[in-house]
Amino acid sequence: MTSTASLNATPFPFPQLYSFPPFFTLQPHEPSRVKQVAAWLDLIRAYCAHHKLYRLDMDSAASLDLFKNAAIGRTVPRDMLALLFREAVKAGLAEWSTPKDTTRVLVLWKSVAEWAAAMVEWARNAGFTDTVMTGYELRFGDYVTDADFYGMDEVLFCRVIQHLAKQKRVVMVNESKVADELGFKFLPS
């Protein structure tokens, strides 16, 4: 399962390395493998940000052009994909969807703190401080369609709002486990 807010119609500009067949095979030489994994993590972050992908799972990720280059007939093998997921989690680029499920990740192409800062800046610039809002309005409202967080994954959105509440950047008006039912207001700086 992959989760997208809105699939970007603009083709993703893959780096030149993506067309190099050995990139799709885990390198046995450790220094080469370390560089290869780092390049994959950069590629995963950029691809997910471009397409607003928040979730990846091993069963469907292999069908994404991110992990399957039809032009050179290469696909990332499942064991390598598992390693990339583990390394993404270790690097803070992703979190396991649940602690016991190591086949699905929540992709953090921006950290929770970076998302929080973006929302605070948006609220200040758009004049929405001291205004009660719902999670639905901030995720899907007409006034946020150009914001990076438009259509944000529900789990990630709740984590960002919790982060903002702990920082005392928002006041909760209605707490809920459902992102769209949250009620809060941004506090002035």
Side-chain angles (χ1 to χ4, degrees), residues 167-186:
Q167 287 187 320
K168 300 195 183 318
R169 303 301 302 268
V170 298
V171 171
M172 298 306 297
V173 177
N174 182 46
E175 295 197 30
S176 174
K177 294 194 185 291
V178 178
D180 293 346
E181 295 174 4
L182 289 169
F184 49 88
K185 68 178 179 176
F186 287 92

Side-chain angles (χ1 to χ4, degrees), residues 16-168:
Q16 190 173 3
L17 186 59
Y18 179 76
S19 296
F20 186 56
F23 188 53
F24 288 80
T25 303
L26 195 59
Q27 297 303 301
H29 183 61
E30 187 173 348
S32 297
R33 185 175 55 249
V34 167
K35 289 178 183 176
Q36 176 191 29
V37 169
W40 268 109
L41 296 184
D42 288 343
L43 179 57
I44 291 167
R45 178 191 309 265
Y47 183 93
C48 289
H50 180 82
H51 288 296
K52 289 193 165 189
L53 281 170
Y54 294 97
R55 293 177 184 267
L56 293 173
D57 80 50
M58 277 200 247
D59 293 331
S60 61
S63 67
L64 291 173
D65 59 348
L66 170 61
F67 299 112
K68 182 178 183 177
N69 185 336
I72 62 170
R74 294 293 182 126
T75 301
V76 173
R78 190 170 176 88
D79 61 334
M80 183 174 164
L81 192 56
L83 174 87
L84 292 173
F85 278 23
R86 286 192 307 272
E87 291 298 320
V89 169
K90 193 185 318 181
L93 171 61
E95 296 178 354
W96 300 117
S97 290
T98 63
K100 293 181 181 182
D101 184 359
T102 58
T103 63
R104 293 184 178 96
V105 291
L106 177 66
V107 181
L108 302 172
W109 33 279
K110 285 187 183 183
S111 69
V112 170
E114 288 171 324
W115 282 119
M119 287 181 187
V120 167
E121 182 180 348
W122 172 85
R124 187 175 342 134
N125 292 341
F128 279 90
T129 54
D130 275 334
T131 303
V132 174
M133 301 187 72
T134 66
Y136 182 84
E137 289 173 307
L138 196 57
R139 289 177 64 219
F140 298 110
D142 291 340
Y143 34 79
V144 296
T145 56
D146 292 335
D148 278 351
F149 52 83
Y150 179 78
M152 180 181 278
D153 178 83
E154 184 174 359
V155 171
L156 179 57
F157 182 82
C158 288
R159 294 221 18 247
V160 172
I161 296 300
Q162 289 169 354
H163 179 80
L164 287 168
K166 286 179 186 173
Q167 287 187 320
K168 300 195 183 318

